[in-house]
Amino acid sequence: MAVTVSIPTILRTHTGGQKSVEASGSTVLEVIDDIESRHSGIKARLVKDDKLHRFINIYVNDEDVRFAGGLEAKVNDGDTVTILPAVAGG
Amino acid sequence: MLQIRRELVDKIVAHARADHPDEACGVIAGPAGSDDPQRFIPMVNAARSPTFYEFDSGDLLKLYREMDERGEEPVVIYHSHTATEAYPSRTDVALAAEPNAHYVLVSTRDPDEHEFRSFRIVDGVVTEEPVKIIEPES
């Protein structure tokens, strides 16, 4: 399952500046693990206590994975996965 | 330094006043790499709170896709503080994720006078910067 993953500016230090990377996996977690295998350190920015970090949004195509099973959300061949940190504060 | 047109400052302040006592938030996009804020994009505060703001996650995706298609980036990310000074809170610093953006804070705690200040927030370090308001040519 090959997917394209869009990387936000703040995490591009982990991808050598690349705006997007190719990855494989049948769930969001598998995709993250696959990226981590080549871009060490990125997983810790996305996953905390085995859950998606509260202030990180991940979308499969147009769907926020929080409403589709979280890290277990299904990913299909050709999907686009977009990672966006929340724009939030107090 | 943030250089910003008077018209955009007025729009940010008007948005902050309109949403008071909840926090208002939004973006001014500009061409990537230009450091020139041009396109005013008020956002809904999904938290609808006087002490917190967060862009709705669906709106966030649409916003970033649209900026990407137009070759833009968020030059300014603004929000209001409605009972405290226009200085980044601990939460603001912890969640700041755009190292290239000018983080603009507006305080509406005083009904008659607002504070308008700009900061860089990089790796947990806050640096205030001067704001130069570009007045319209008369």
Side-chain angles (χ1 to χ4, degrees), chain A residues 11-77:
Chain A
L11 296 181
R12 289 180 198 157
T13 50
H14 295 281
T15 61
Q18 292 180 84
K19 289 175 77 169
S20 68
V21 297
E22 299 297 314
S24 62
S26 60
T27 65
V28 168
L29 183 60
E30 287 179 17
V31 168
I32 292 172
D33 282 333
D34 184 52
I35 301 172
E36 174 72 16
S37 70
R38 276 166 283 121
H39 303 287
S40 178
I42 201 164
K43 185 175 181 179
R45 307 287 297 273
L46 306 176
V47 177
K48 193 178 174 188
D49 301 330
D50 297 324
K51 285 185 184 159
L52 180 59
H53 194 291
R54 161 71 180 87
F55 292 107
I56 293 287
N57 298 310
I58 297 182
Y59 309 84
V60 175
N61 301 321
D62 293 338
E63 185 154 36
D64 184 338
V65 302
R66 270 199 187 82
F67 309 114
L71 293 173
E72 296 307 319
K74 296 290 177 217
V75 177
N76 293 306
D77 203 26

Side-chain angles (χ1 to χ4, degrees), chain A residues 9-10 19 53-55 57 59 61-64 67 80 82 84-90, chain B residues 23 51-55 57 60-61 64-65 68 77 79 81 89 91-92 95 97-98 100:
Chain A
T9 309
I10 199 164
K19 289 175 77 169
H53 194 291
R54 161 71 180 87
F55 292 107
N57 298 310
Y59 309 84
N61 301 321
D62 293 338
E63 185 154 36
D64 184 338
F67 309 114
T80 298
T82 304
L84 285 176
V87 178
Chain B
E23 294 193 7
T51 56
F52 194 72
Y53 80 96
E54 182 169 12
F55 292 7
S57 80
L60 181 73
L61 180 65
Y64 272 78
R65 285 219 175 126
D68 215 37
I77 297 173
H79 77 283
H81 283 173
S89 65
T91 315
D92 293 334
L95 297 180
E98 288 288 358
N100 300 322

